[in-house]
Amino acid sequence: IAFLSMGGTVRAADDTTYSQNEILAKAEGFFGSTTKGLAEGIGKVFKDQGQPVGYIAGEEFGGAFVVGLRYGRGKLNRKLGKPQQVYWQGPSVGFDFGGNVSKVFTLVYKLDRPQDIYRRFPGVDGSLYVVAGVSLNYQQAGKTILAPIRTGAGLRAGINVGYLHYNSEHSWVPF
């Protein structure tokens, strides 16, 4: 076990978490290239949360006219174990208008068991997609924290509050 200093704190690094360089490489492979905004977003999450225990690579689509819906799917990857399919959907409400499709790369923190991902994660999201954009927010349920990083296309602007319900099976019902 090696020890890393992050922001003045000493943390043990082990083979169950991903380093910032590993996540940047995975994100670059998933998104096709690492943009300055994407690298800065990943750097901020690492500064705030440290090393993730996993990540979800997937895609989603959504739309809103005050009330919104979001649907997505991806694979939860952990260093130990095989990838598992994850679906999510959820409602939102706020000053939010338009639609978008996105690739989503979600960093996962404090997830003890893979099946603990299957629940509702509340969150606040702000977006500005005018043809293309990048967004980052945090979602937390219990001690588990998710940090979705989205890059996509569409015409959508606003801020909303809602939740995403993560499931092992696809559902069109957003609740």
Side-chain angles (χ1 to χ4, degrees):
I1 294 179
F3 290 94
L4 303 173
S5 176
M6 296 198 57
T9 61
V10 176
R11 296 179 24 118
D14 58 41
D15 60 356
T16 63
T17 62
Y18 290 91
S19 71
Q20 187 167 350
N21 287 338
E22 287 174 308
I23 288 296
L24 280 169
K26 299 283 185 188
E28 182 175 323
F30 178 67
F31 287 118
S33 66
T34 303
T35 66
K36 181 180 177 189
L38 180 60
E40 288 173 354
I42 289 172
K44 179 184 180 354
V45 177
F46 267 79
K47 182 179 177 192
D48 292 348
Q49 302 296 330
Q51 293 186 207
V53 297
Y55 65 91
I56 300 170
E59 61 271 337
E60 69 179 24
F61 67 93
F65 184 77
V66 180
V67 175
L69 295 173
R70 186 182 307 259
Y71 295 91
R73 69 176 183 196
K75 295 246 184 198
L76 171 62
N77 297 277
R78 296 169 46 108
K79 276 199 162 177
L80 304 176
K82 62 181 180 177
Q84 71 185 61
Q85 189 70 44
V86 178
Y87 299 91
W88 60 92
Q89 69 279 336
S92 64
V93 64
F95 185 73
D96 190 11
F97 303 93
N100 65 289
V101 295
S102 303
K103 280 191 161 191
V104 183
F105 193 84
T106 302
L107 302 182
V108 179
Y109 293 89
K110 301 176 186 170
L111 183 69
D112 294 330
R113 301 174 311 154
Q115 61 269 28
D116 290 344
I117 194 82
Y118 302 130
R119 58 179 153 170
R120 288 186 174 100
F121 285 81
V124 175
D125 188 32
S127 318
L128 177 59
Y129 288 93
V130 181
V131 180
V134 175
S135 71
L136 163 69
N137 71 315
Y138 292 106
Q139 303 166 337
Q140 183 169 357
K143 68 177 186 172
T144 304
I145 298 170
L146 304 180
I149 301 167
R150 295 176 176 94
T151 183
L155 181 57
R156 186 168 180 174
I159 186 164
N160 63 57
V161 62
Y163 65 82
L164 289 178
H165 189 182
Y166 290 79
N167 301 290
S168 61
E169 297 179 5
H170 172 71
S171 173
W172 287 107
V173 179
F175 307 107

